[in-house]
Amino acid sequence: MRALRILLVVVVVLGGLFVLADRLAVNFAEGEVADKLKANEGLAATPDVSIKGFPFLTQVVGGSLDDVEVGIKDYQAATGTSGRTIRIDDLQADMKGVEFSGDYSSATAASATGTASITYAELLKTAKAEPTEVVRGVTANVVGLSDGGNGKIKVAVEATVLGTKLPQPVYVLSTVTVQGDTVRVHADSLPSFGGVRAAENEVRSITDFQQKIDDLPGGIKLDKVQAGKDGVEISVKGSNVKLAG
């Protein structure tokens, strides 16, 4: 019995040391991947990297990680317009089947899914903010975006008719969709301005707008989008996504 107790103590101690070594190793690896990702993507801050699964060391031996979660705050995404970016407040990605080199200089995920959020204030920069003539004597411009409920965006349009600004903005509910690398906002119905109606193309030149979002980390792509309480919430996905290298 005494020998058995000693054996059990040894097993517990060795198990504890293995767990400690495993956690130290995973913390080191998370830091290395985060630093590589920051350097590769030119990020202002170090991203959050969390390697899931236990034990980590057996995954290392196999050269592949089952699940890696990455979080990036305030990512500046390219828009296709020289010198202009759009801020993604919170980009979260879950990487599956991540193969890596021994020094973590390269790491590629077989697949990735995640989410990205853009505030209405940030998306508003894409809309036509300067007053534009929609019909003779009537100018209009978008002055606000908000949650319209049921997955819609409420677009506030300010109008001036014959030199007099309307006392209240005109509101329209709009549908938001993703087409390729572009987020599109399309009014469900056309407003009138002080009882004055204009041609559809002229009105939509104000109410409808789009924003290209390009060059996301690792080559992940836009998938779906919906309007939320504080902004648009985008689903992203990708395959052969590079975390580093």
PDB file of all heavy atoms in Angstrom, residues 201-230:
ATOM      1  N   ASN A 201     -33.450  57.208 -59.868  1.00  0.00           N
ATOM      2  CA  ASN A 201     -31.981  57.209 -59.925  1.00  0.00           C
ATOM      3  C   ASN A 201     -31.386  58.356 -59.126  1.00  0.00           C
ATOM      4  O   ASN A 201     -30.350  58.202 -58.469  1.00  0.00           O
ATOM      5  CB  ASN A 201     -31.503  57.290 -61.374  1.00  0.00           C
ATOM      6  CG  ASN A 201     -31.724  55.990 -62.124  1.00  0.00           C
ATOM      7  OD1 ASN A 201     -31.963  54.952 -61.519  1.00  0.00           O
ATOM      8  ND2 ASN A 201     -31.669  56.058 -63.449  1.00  0.00           N
ATOM      9  N   GLU A 202     -32.030  59.519 -59.188  1.00  0.00           N
ATOM     10  CA  GLU A 202     -31.533  60.686 -58.457  1.00  0.00           C
ATOM     11  C   GLU A 202     -31.658  60.489 -56.947  1.00  0.00           C
ATOM     12  O   GLU A 202     -30.747  60.833 -56.181  1.00  0.00           O
ATOM     13  CB  GLU A 202     -32.282  61.955 -58.894  1.00  0.00           C
ATOM     14  CG  GLU A 202     -32.143  62.300 -60.366  1.00  0.00           C
ATOM     15  CD  GLU A 202     -30.699  62.548 -60.748  1.00  0.00           C
ATOM     16  OE1 GLU A 202     -29.934  63.040 -59.898  1.00  0.00           O
ATOM     17  OE2 GLU A 202     -30.330  62.243 -61.895  1.00  0.00           O
ATOM     18  N   VAL A 203     -32.786  59.925 -56.522  1.00  0.00           N
ATOM     19  CA  VAL A 203     -32.995  59.706 -55.090  1.00  0.00           C
ATOM     20  C   VAL A 203     -32.029  58.643 -54.574  1.00  0.00           C
ATOM     21  O   VAL A 203     -31.408  58.799 -53.514  1.00  0.00           O
ATOM     22  CB  VAL A 203     -34.449  59.298 -54.794  1.00  0.00           C
ATOM     23  CG1 VAL A 203     -34.627  58.995 -53.299  1.00  0.00           C
ATOM     24  CG2 VAL A 203     -35.409  60.402 -55.211  1.00  0.00           C
ATOM     25  N   ARG A 204     -31.877  57.581 -55.337  1.00  0.00           N
ATOM     26  CA  ARG A 204     -30.987  56.499 -54.892  1.00  0.00           C
ATOM     27  C   ARG A 204     -29.522  56.925 -54.894  1.00  0.00           C
ATOM     28  O   ARG A 204     -28.701  56.313 -54.203  1.00  0.00           O
ATOM     29  CB  ARG A 204     -31.183  55.254 -55.764  1.00  0.00           C
ATOM     30  CG  ARG A 204     -32.509  54.564 -55.503  1.00  0.00           C
ATOM     31  CD  ARG A 204     -32.520  53.127 -55.970  1.00  0.00           C
ATOM     32  NE  ARG A 204     -33.797  52.487 -55.683  1.00  0.00           N
ATOM     33  CZ  ARG A 204     -34.149  51.983 -54.503  1.00  0.00           C
ATOM     34  NH1 ARG A 204     -33.301  52.053 -53.491  1.00  0.00           N
ATOM     35  NH2 ARG A 204     -35.327  51.427 -54.333  1.00  0.00           N
ATOM     36  N   SER A 205     -29.204  57.964 -55.643  1.00  0.00           N
ATOM     37  CA  SER A 205     -27.835  58.470 -55.582  1.00  0.00           C
ATOM     38  C   SER A 205     -27.523  59.046 -54.204  1.00  0.00           C
ATOM     39  O   SER A 205     -26.355  59.188 -53.827  1.00  0.00           O
ATOM     40  CB  SER A 205     -27.617  59.539 -56.655  1.00  0.00           C
ATOM     41  OG  SER A 205     -28.305  60.741 -56.334  1.00  0.00           O
ATOM     42  N   ILE A 206     -28.580  59.321 -53.437  1.00  0.00           N
ATOM     43  CA  ILE A 206     -28.425  59.826 -52.066  1.00  0.00           C
ATOM     44  C   ILE A 206     -28.611  58.691 -51.059  1.00  0.00           C
ATOM     45  O   ILE A 206     -27.769  58.464 -50.185  1.00  0.00           O
ATOM     46  CB  ILE A 206     -29.453  60.938 -51.764  1.00  0.00           C
ATOM     47  CG1 ILE A 206     -29.339  62.073 -52.780  1.00  0.00           C
ATOM     48  CG2 ILE A 206     -29.277  61.455 -50.335  1.00  0.00           C
ATOM     49  CD1 ILE A 206     -28.017  62.787 -52.763  1.00  0.00           C
ATOM     50  N   THR A 207     -29.726  57.965 -51.157  1.00  0.00           N
ATOM     51  CA  THR A 207     -30.089  56.990 -50.127  1.00  0.00           C
ATOM     52  C   THR A 207     -29.236  55.717 -50.175  1.00  0.00           C
ATOM     53  O   THR A 207     -28.999  55.090 -49.148  1.00  0.00           O
ATOM     54  CB  THR A 207     -31.564  56.580 -50.266  1.00  0.00           C
ATOM     55  OG1 THR A 207     -31.770  55.986 -51.568  1.00  0.00           O
ATOM     56  CG2 THR A 207     -32.484  57.779 -50.100  1.00  0.00           C
ATOM     57  N   ASP A 208     -28.810  55.325 -51.381  1.00  0.00           N
ATOM     58  CA  ASP A 208     -28.080  54.065 -51.535  1.00  0.00           C
ATOM     59  C   ASP A 208     -26.580  54.329 -51.607  1.00  0.00           C
ATOM     60  O   ASP A 208     -26.138  55.285 -52.261  1.00  0.00           O
ATOM     61  CB  ASP A 208     -28.516  53.342 -52.805  1.00  0.00           C
ATOM     62  CG  ASP A 208     -29.975  52.921 -52.769  1.00  0.00           C
ATOM     63  OD1 ASP A 208     -30.684  53.289 -51.806  1.00  0.00           O
ATOM     64  OD2 ASP A 208     -30.422  52.234 -53.706  1.00  0.00           O
ATOM     65  N   PHE A 209     -25.820  53.469 -50.975  1.00  0.00           N
ATOM     66  CA  PHE A 209     -24.361  53.610 -51.033  1.00  0.00           C
ATOM     67  C   PHE A 209     -23.717  52.266 -50.762  1.00  0.00           C
ATOM     68  O   PHE A 209     -24.384  51.308 -50.358  1.00  0.00           O
ATOM     69  CB  PHE A 209     -23.865  54.672 -50.042  1.00  0.00           C
ATOM     70  CG  PHE A 209     -24.260  54.416 -48.615  1.00  0.00           C
ATOM     71  CD1 PHE A 209     -23.427  53.735 -47.750  1.00  0.00           C
ATOM     72  CD2 PHE A 209     -25.484  54.876 -48.119  1.00  0.00           C
ATOM     73  CE1 PHE A 209     -23.788  53.501 -46.437  1.00  0.00           C
ATOM     74  CE2 PHE A 209     -25.853  54.644 -46.804  1.00  0.00           C
ATOM     75  CZ  PHE A 209     -24.999  53.958 -45.956  1.00  0.00           C
ATOM     76  N   GLN A 210     -22.436  52.196 -50.997  1.00  0.00           N
ATOM     77  CA  GLN A 210     -21.721  50.935 -50.809  1.00  0.00           C
ATOM     78  C   GLN A 210     -20.323  51.204 -50.283  1.00  0.00           C
ATOM     79  O   GLN A 210     -19.784  52.303 -50.435  1.00  0.00           O
ATOM     80  CB  GLN A 210     -21.641  50.159 -52.121  1.00  0.00           C
ATOM     81  CG  GLN A 210     -20.888  50.893 -53.221  1.00  0.00           C
ATOM     82  CD  GLN A 210     -20.957  50.161 -54.546  1.00  0.00           C
ATOM     83  OE1 GLN A 210     -22.004  49.610 -54.911  1.00  0.00           O
ATOM     84  NE2 GLN A 210     -19.845  50.123 -55.262  1.00  0.00           N
ATOM     85  N   GLN A 211     -19.765  50.184 -49.631  1.00  0.00           N
ATOM     86  CA  GLN A 211     -18.426  50.294 -49.055  1.00  0.00           C
ATOM     87  C   GLN A 211     -17.636  49.026 -49.345  1.00  0.00           C
ATOM     88  O   GLN A 211     -18.019  47.932 -48.914  1.00  0.00           O
ATOM     89  CB  GLN A 211     -18.500  50.524 -47.553  1.00  0.00           C
ATOM     90  CG  GLN A 211     -17.160  50.529 -46.856  1.00  0.00           C
ATOM     91  CD  GLN A 211     -16.259  51.651 -47.359  1.00  0.00           C
ATOM     92  OE1 GLN A 211     -16.536  52.814 -47.119  1.00  0.00           O
ATOM     93  NE2 GLN A 211     -15.201  51.307 -48.070  1.00  0.00           N
ATOM     94  N   LYS A 212     -16.557  49.161 -50.069  1.00  0.00           N
ATOM     95  CA  LYS A 212     -15.664  48.039 -50.310  1.00  0.00           C
ATOM     96  C   LYS A 212     -14.795  47.823 -49.079  1.00  0.00           C
ATOM     97  O   LYS A 212     -14.291  48.783 -48.486  1.00  0.00           O
ATOM     98  CB  LYS A 212     -14.786  48.313 -51.526  1.00  0.00           C
ATOM     99  CG  LYS A 212     -13.872  47.158 -51.904  1.00  0.00           C
ATOM    100  CD  LYS A 212     -13.098  47.471 -53.184  1.00  0.00           C
ATOM    101  CE  LYS A 212     -12.212  46.304 -53.574  1.00  0.00           C
ATOM    102  NZ  LYS A 212     -11.455  46.574 -54.822  1.00  0.00           N
ATOM    103  N   ILE A 213     -14.642  46.575 -48.676  1.00  0.00           N
ATOM    104  CA  ILE A 213     -13.790  46.216 -47.534  1.00  0.00           C
ATOM    105  C   ILE A 213     -12.833  45.140 -48.019  1.00  0.00           C
ATOM    106  O   ILE A 213     -13.239  44.012 -48.290  1.00  0.00           O
ATOM    107  CB  ILE A 213     -14.613  45.728 -46.337  1.00  0.00           C
ATOM    108  CG1 ILE A 213     -15.602  46.815 -45.898  1.00  0.00           C
ATOM    109  CG2 ILE A 213     -13.710  45.341 -45.180  1.00  0.00           C
ATOM    110  CD1 ILE A 213     -16.547  46.388 -44.792  1.00  0.00           C
ATOM    111  N   ASP A 214     -11.593  45.511 -48.146  1.00  0.00           N
ATOM    112  CA  ASP A 214     -10.625  44.649 -48.807  1.00  0.00           C
ATOM    113  C   ASP A 214      -9.437  44.365 -47.890  1.00  0.00           C
ATOM    114  O   ASP A 214      -9.236  45.039 -46.879  1.00  0.00           O
ATOM    115  CB  ASP A 214     -10.134  45.335 -50.089  1.00  0.00           C
ATOM    116  CG  ASP A 214      -9.523  44.357 -51.063  1.00  0.00           C
ATOM    117  OD1 ASP A 214      -9.580  43.145 -50.797  1.00  0.00           O
ATOM    118  OD2 ASP A 214      -8.981  44.805 -52.092  1.00  0.00           O
ATOM    119  N   ASP A 215      -8.668  43.356 -48.264  1.00  0.00           N
ATOM    120  CA  ASP A 215      -7.379  43.088 -47.624  1.00  0.00           C
ATOM    121  C   ASP A 215      -7.526  42.782 -46.137  1.00  0.00           C
ATOM    122  O   ASP A 215      -6.777  43.288 -45.306  1.00  0.00           O
ATOM    123  CB  ASP A 215      -6.439  44.276 -47.840  1.00  0.00           C
ATOM    124  CG  ASP A 215      -4.981  43.908 -47.597  1.00  0.00           C
ATOM    125  OD1 ASP A 215      -4.655  42.726 -47.767  1.00  0.00           O
ATOM    126  OD2 ASP A 215      -4.190  44.793 -47.222  1.00  0.00           O
ATOM    127  N   LEU A 216      -8.494  41.928 -45.792  1.00  0.00           N
ATOM    128  CA  LEU A 216      -8.646  41.516 -44.400  1.00  0.00           C
ATOM    129  C   LEU A 216      -7.515  40.553 -44.021  1.00  0.00           C
ATOM    130  O   LEU A 216      -6.916  39.921 -44.891  1.00  0.00           O
ATOM    131  CB  LEU A 216     -10.005  40.858 -44.188  1.00  0.00           C
ATOM    132  CG  LEU A 216     -11.221  41.783 -44.306  1.00  0.00           C
ATOM    133  CD1 LEU A 216     -12.513  40.983 -44.178  1.00  0.00           C
ATOM    134  CD2 LEU A 216     -11.179  42.887 -43.271  1.00  0.00           C
ATOM    135  N   PRO A 217      -7.200  40.436 -42.740  1.00  0.00           N
ATOM    136  CA  PRO A 217      -6.060  39.616 -42.310  1.00  0.00           C
ATOM    137  C   PRO A 217      -6.130  38.186 -42.837  1.00  0.00           C
ATOM    138  O   PRO A 217      -7.179  37.533 -42.772  1.00  0.00           O
ATOM    139  CB  PRO A 217      -6.169  39.634 -40.780  1.00  0.00           C
ATOM    140  CG  PRO A 217      -6.860  40.909 -40.475  1.00  0.00           C
ATOM    141  CD  PRO A 217      -7.840  41.102 -41.593  1.00  0.00           C
ATOM    142  N   GLY A 218      -4.996  37.728 -43.353  1.00  0.00           N
ATOM    143  CA  GLY A 218      -4.889  36.344 -43.791  1.00  0.00           C
ATOM    144  C   GLY A 218      -5.653  36.004 -45.051  1.00  0.00           C
ATOM    145  O   GLY A 218      -5.673  34.853 -45.486  1.00  0.00           O
ATOM    146  N   GLY A 219      -6.332  36.988 -45.629  1.00  0.00           N
ATOM    147  CA  GLY A 219      -7.115  36.714 -46.830  1.00  0.00           C
ATOM    148  C   GLY A 219      -8.528  36.251 -46.563  1.00  0.00           C
ATOM    149  O   GLY A 219      -9.194  35.717 -47.466  1.00  0.00           O
ATOM    150  N   ILE A 220      -9.057  36.447 -45.339  1.00  0.00           N
ATOM    151  CA  ILE A 220     -10.450  36.085 -45.073  1.00  0.00           C
ATOM    152  C   ILE A 220     -11.369  37.034 -45.844  1.00  0.00           C
ATOM    153  O   ILE A 220     -11.004  38.162 -46.167  1.00  0.00           O
ATOM    154  CB  ILE A 220     -10.788  36.106 -43.567  1.00  0.00           C
ATOM    155  CG1 ILE A 220     -10.485  37.470 -42.936  1.00  0.00           C
ATOM    156  CG2 ILE A 220     -10.062  35.004 -42.833  1.00  0.00           C
ATOM    157  CD1 ILE A 220     -10.864  37.550 -41.483  1.00  0.00           C
ATOM    158  N   LYS A 221     -12.588  36.561 -46.143  1.00  0.00           N
ATOM    159  CA  LYS A 221     -13.510  37.291 -46.999  1.00  0.00           C
ATOM    160  C   LYS A 221     -14.836  37.564 -46.282  1.00  0.00           C
ATOM    161  O   LYS A 221     -15.211  36.865 -45.344  1.00  0.00           O
ATOM    162  CB  LYS A 221     -13.796  36.492 -48.279  1.00  0.00           C
ATOM    163  CG  LYS A 221     -12.557  36.140 -49.090  1.00  0.00           C
ATOM    164  CD  LYS A 221     -11.882  37.377 -49.667  1.00  0.00           C
ATOM    165  CE  LYS A 221     -10.696  36.998 -50.551  1.00  0.00           C
ATOM    166  NZ  LYS A 221     -10.001  38.200 -51.070  1.00  0.00           N
ATOM    167  N   LEU A 222     -15.543  38.591 -46.762  1.00  0.00           N
ATOM    168  CA  LEU A 222     -16.881  38.874 -46.261  1.00  0.00           C
ATOM    169  C   LEU A 222     -17.818  37.747 -46.671  1.00  0.00           C
ATOM    170  O   LEU A 222     -17.708  37.195 -47.764  1.00  0.00           O
ATOM    171  CB  LEU A 222     -17.395  40.196 -46.829  1.00  0.00           C
ATOM    172  CG  LEU A 222     -16.514  41.439 -46.663  1.00  0.00           C
ATOM    173  CD1 LEU A 222     -17.236  42.661 -47.234  1.00  0.00           C
ATOM    174  CD2 LEU A 222     -16.149  41.665 -45.216  1.00  0.00           C
ATOM    175  N   ASP A 223     -18.774  37.421 -45.791  1.00  0.00           N
ATOM    176  CA  ASP A 223     -19.732  36.365 -46.084  1.00  0.00           C
ATOM    177  C   ASP A 223     -21.167  36.893 -46.023  1.00  0.00           C
ATOM    178  O   ASP A 223     -21.872  36.911 -47.023  1.00  0.00           O
ATOM    179  CB  ASP A 223     -19.541  35.209 -45.101  1.00  0.00           C
ATOM    180  CG  ASP A 223     -20.422  34.021 -45.413  1.00  0.00           C
ATOM    181  OD1 ASP A 223     -20.838  33.893 -46.583  1.00  0.00           O
ATOM    182  OD2 ASP A 223     -20.699  33.220 -44.499  1.00  0.00           O
ATOM    183  N   LYS A 224     -21.590  37.349 -44.846  1.00  0.00           N
ATOM    184  CA  LYS A 224     -22.945  37.873 -44.665  1.00  0.00           C
ATOM    185  C   LYS A 224     -22.879  39.130 -43.811  1.00  0.00           C
ATOM    186  O   LYS A 224     -21.890  39.376 -43.119  1.00  0.00           O
ATOM    187  CB  LYS A 224     -23.841  36.834 -43.983  1.00  0.00           C
ATOM    188  CG  LYS A 224     -23.989  35.527 -44.744  1.00  0.00           C
ATOM    189  CD  LYS A 224     -24.800  34.529 -43.927  1.00  0.00           C
ATOM    190  CE  LYS A 224     -24.900  33.184 -44.640  1.00  0.00           C
ATOM    191  NZ  LYS A 224     -25.631  32.179 -43.834  1.00  0.00           N
ATOM    192  N   VAL A 225     -23.956  39.913 -43.836  1.00  0.00           N
ATOM    193  CA  VAL A 225     -24.009  41.132 -43.024  1.00  0.00           C
ATOM    194  C   VAL A 225     -25.440  41.366 -42.567  1.00  0.00           C
ATOM    195  O   VAL A 225     -26.392  41.022 -43.271  1.00  0.00           O
ATOM    196  CB  VAL A 225     -23.485  42.356 -43.821  1.00  0.00           C
ATOM    197  CG1 VAL A 225     -24.387  42.643 -45.018  1.00  0.00           C
ATOM    198  CG2 VAL A 225     -23.371  43.587 -42.926  1.00  0.00           C
ATOM    199  N   GLN A 226     -25.580  41.938 -41.376  1.00  0.00           N
ATOM    200  CA  GLN A 226     -26.897  42.349 -40.897  1.00  0.00           C
ATOM    201  C   GLN A 226     -26.749  43.585 -40.021  1.00  0.00           C
ATOM    202  O   GLN A 226     -25.689  43.837 -39.451  1.00  0.00           O
ATOM    203  CB  GLN A 226     -27.584  41.232 -40.120  1.00  0.00           C
ATOM    204  CG  GLN A 226     -26.890  40.842 -38.833  1.00  0.00           C
ATOM    205  CD  GLN A 226     -27.647  39.764 -38.076  1.00  0.00           C
ATOM    206  OE1 GLN A 226     -28.621  39.207 -38.571  1.00  0.00           O
ATOM    207  NE2 GLN A 226     -27.203  39.473 -36.862  1.00  0.00           N
ATOM    208  N   ALA A 227     -27.816  44.352 -39.953  1.00  0.00           N
ATOM    209  CA  ALA A 227     -27.815  45.541 -39.118  1.00  0.00           C
ATOM    210  C   ALA A 227     -27.990  45.145 -37.664  1.00  0.00           C
ATOM    211  O   ALA A 227     -28.807  44.280 -37.339  1.00  0.00           O
ATOM    212  CB  ALA A 227     -28.931  46.487 -39.539  1.00  0.00           C
ATOM    213  N   GLY A 228     -27.222  45.760 -36.784  1.00  0.00           N
ATOM    214  CA  GLY A 228     -27.317  45.510 -35.355  1.00  0.00           C
ATOM    215  C   GLY A 228     -27.648  46.777 -34.602  1.00  0.00           C
ATOM    216  O   GLY A 228     -27.947  47.821 -35.193  1.00  0.00           O
ATOM    217  N   LYS A 229     -27.573  46.707 -33.289  1.00  0.00           N
ATOM    218  CA  LYS A 229     -27.931  47.846 -32.450  1.00  0.00           C
ATOM    219  C   LYS A 229     -27.004  49.032 -32.665  1.00  0.00           C
ATOM    220  O   LYS A 229     -27.456  50.177 -32.774  1.00  0.00           O
ATOM    221  CB  LYS A 229     -27.904  47.429 -30.978  1.00  0.00           C
ATOM    222  CG  LYS A 229     -28.250  48.555 -30.014  1.00  0.00           C
ATOM    223  CD  LYS A 229     -28.196  48.085 -28.571  1.00  0.00           C
ATOM    224  CE  LYS A 229     -28.496  49.232 -27.611  1.00  0.00           C
ATOM    225  NZ  LYS A 229     -28.409  48.800 -26.193  1.00  0.00           N
ATOM    226  N   ASP A 230     -25.706  48.776 -32.730  1.00  0.00           N
ATOM    227  CA  ASP A 230     -24.736  49.868 -32.791  1.00  0.00           C
ATOM    228  C   ASP A 230     -24.016  49.976 -34.132  1.00  0.00           C
ATOM    229  O   ASP A 230     -23.217  50.890 -34.339  1.00  0.00           O
ATOM    230  CB  ASP A 230     -23.682  49.697 -31.687  1.00  0.00           C
ATOM    231  CG  ASP A 230     -24.317  49.694 -30.303  1.00  0.00           C
ATOM    232  OD1 ASP A 230     -25.141  50.591 -30.037  1.00  0.00           O
ATOM    233  OD2 ASP A 230     -23.996  48.803 -29.501  1.00  0.00           O
TER     234      ASP A 230
END
